[in-house]
Amino acid sequence: MENHSCIIVDDEQLSRLLIEGYLEKVPSLTLKGAFKDAQEALLYLQEDKVDLIFLDIQMPILTGIEFIKSLNYSPQVVFITAYPQYAIEGYELNIVDYLLKPVSFDRFLKAVVKAQDQIRLVQSVTQIPSALSDLDTDTTKHLMVKSEHRIYRIAYDDILYIEGSREYLIIHTNKDKISTLMSFKNLLEALPTNQFIRVHKSFVVHKDKVKSLYGNQLEIGDARIPIGKMYKNDVLDNLF
């Protein structure tokens, strides 16, 4: 069974002890540490990264939300808190789950399953380069992405535009849509600049697929793609 590492960050000792007890019943998770404040946890994570963090929100000096924003990598996070009003802000930070104290074991286990599914998904995407090298294919004319445990070989000429949606990208082609866990940074490094251009913080388009400029939008097929203010001059210089 695949094993994942985790830590607990909570200023309440009883809450830490409860989660530690729950974790003893989950053999697929290894507890690396339990910290009473976020500063202690940050010092630990400078040396050792973990896959999953069980995190309180209201803590002295540094809150759980401030703690997440200060991390230099993106572990999976489950909030465990007594304050339901932070739920919306938590989900905007792409946390896996939001548990209200006191937490039952059944509810805790559901959060663990969701977190481990997400960990495996992220890990599978980071393994794409080695998987692609085994295919021995010409990537000068194709984009290689992984989606739902499959590797797709998408011809550049078939791509209409690519849309960013939170941590996912949606690739719109002539025939269908393919979602993949990839950052815009990695996408732009993979795409040929002579064929594609970023027109908005959430959109990259194939230059040859643009039919017209309509106000502050590009027309591609049946779609209208917005042009971001900071990209407008580049769009006009390169497309019209």
Side-chain angles (χ1 to χ4, degrees):
M1 179 182 295
E2 188 177 7
N3 194 277
H4 299 122
S5 58
C6 67
I7 61 172
I8 303 167
V9 187
D10 194 324
D11 63 330
E12 296 181 12
Q13 183 180 15
L14 291 178
S15 179
R16 292 197 305 273
L17 291 174
L18 176 67
I19 302 305
E20 286 179 29
Y22 286 169
L23 287 170
E24 290 177 357
K25 303 176 183 179
V26 184
S28 59
L29 281 177
T30 298
L31 180 62
K32 294 294 187 179
F35 304 93
K36 67 178 184 295
D37 63 62
Q39 288 181 309
E40 285 186 358
L42 280 176
L43 289 174
Y44 175 84
L45 293 176
Q46 288 176 2
E47 302 294 331
D48 296 287
K49 292 181 171 58
V50 296
D51 301 309
L52 173 61
I53 300 175
F54 296 99
L55 180 64
D56 189 17
I57 295 179
Q58 286 284 48
M59 293 183 290
I61 304 176
L62 194 67
T63 69
I65 290 172
E66 292 168 338
F67 170 79
I68 292 175
K69 293 178 178 179
S70 68
L71 294 178
N72 59 6
Y73 80 112
S74 301
Q76 302 305 313
V77 176
V78 173
F79 275 151
I80 300 180
T81 178
Y83 301 92
Q85 65 266 31
Y86 292 104
I88 294 177
E89 187 171 2
Y91 284 117
E92 288 176 349
L93 293 169
N94 294 328
I95 66 162
V96 173
D97 211 340
Y98 192 103
L99 305 182
L100 287 176
K101 299 177 181 179
V103 181
S104 69
F105 180 69
D106 287 348
R107 184 66 183 86
F108 174 81
L109 199 56
K110 288 180 181 179
V112 167
V113 171
K114 289 172 63 176
Q116 292 193 302
D117 284 345
Q118 189 66 19
I119 291 168
R120 283 189 285 268
L121 175 60
V122 172
Q123 289 176 341
S124 71
V125 172
T126 61
Q127 293 165 0
I128 286 178
S130 60
L132 297 184
S133 64
D134 295 336
L135 295 178
D136 191 25
T137 187
D138 180 10
T139 58
T140 62
K141 296 182 180 179
H142 299 84
L143 178 66
M144 311 297 292
V145 299
K146 188 163 187 177
S147 177
E148 297 180 352
H149 308 294
R150 296 181 181 179
I151 296 176
Y152 286 84
R153 184 171 180 264
I154 309 170
Y156 292 138
D157 286 342
D158 289 339
I159 298 174
L160 301 175
Y161 62 94
I162 301 170
E163 176 184 1
S165 177
R166 300 185 71 176
E167 69 268 32
Y168 290 89
L169 296 179
I170 304 172
I171 302 169
H172 297 256
T173 72
N174 293 317
K175 299 178 180 179
D176 50 24
K177 296 187 294 185
I178 299 171
S179 298
T180 185
L181 187 66
M182 179 187 291
S183 69
F184 258 119
K185 179 178 181 295
N186 291 338
L187 171 71
L188 293 172
E189 290 175 353
L191 293 174
T193 56
N194 64 323
Q195 295 183 57
F196 292 88
I197 182 172
R198 191 169 190 174
V199 300
H200 186 276
K201 66 178 182 180
S202 300
F203 289 94
V204 171
V205 305
H206 194 301
K207 295 179 181 180
D208 293 341
K209 309 299 182 180
V210 176
K211 292 196 300 185
S212 66
L213 173 65
Y214 182 80
N216 204 40
Q217 297 177 321
L218 296 173
E219 187 179 7
I220 300 179
D222 296 328
R224 297 281 177 84
I225 309 300
I227 302 173
K229 290 183 179 180
M230 65 181 295
Y231 301 96
K232 189 167 186 177
N233 289 337
D234 195 30
V235 169
L236 294 176
D237 289 343
N238 282 274
L239 294 180
F240 299 97

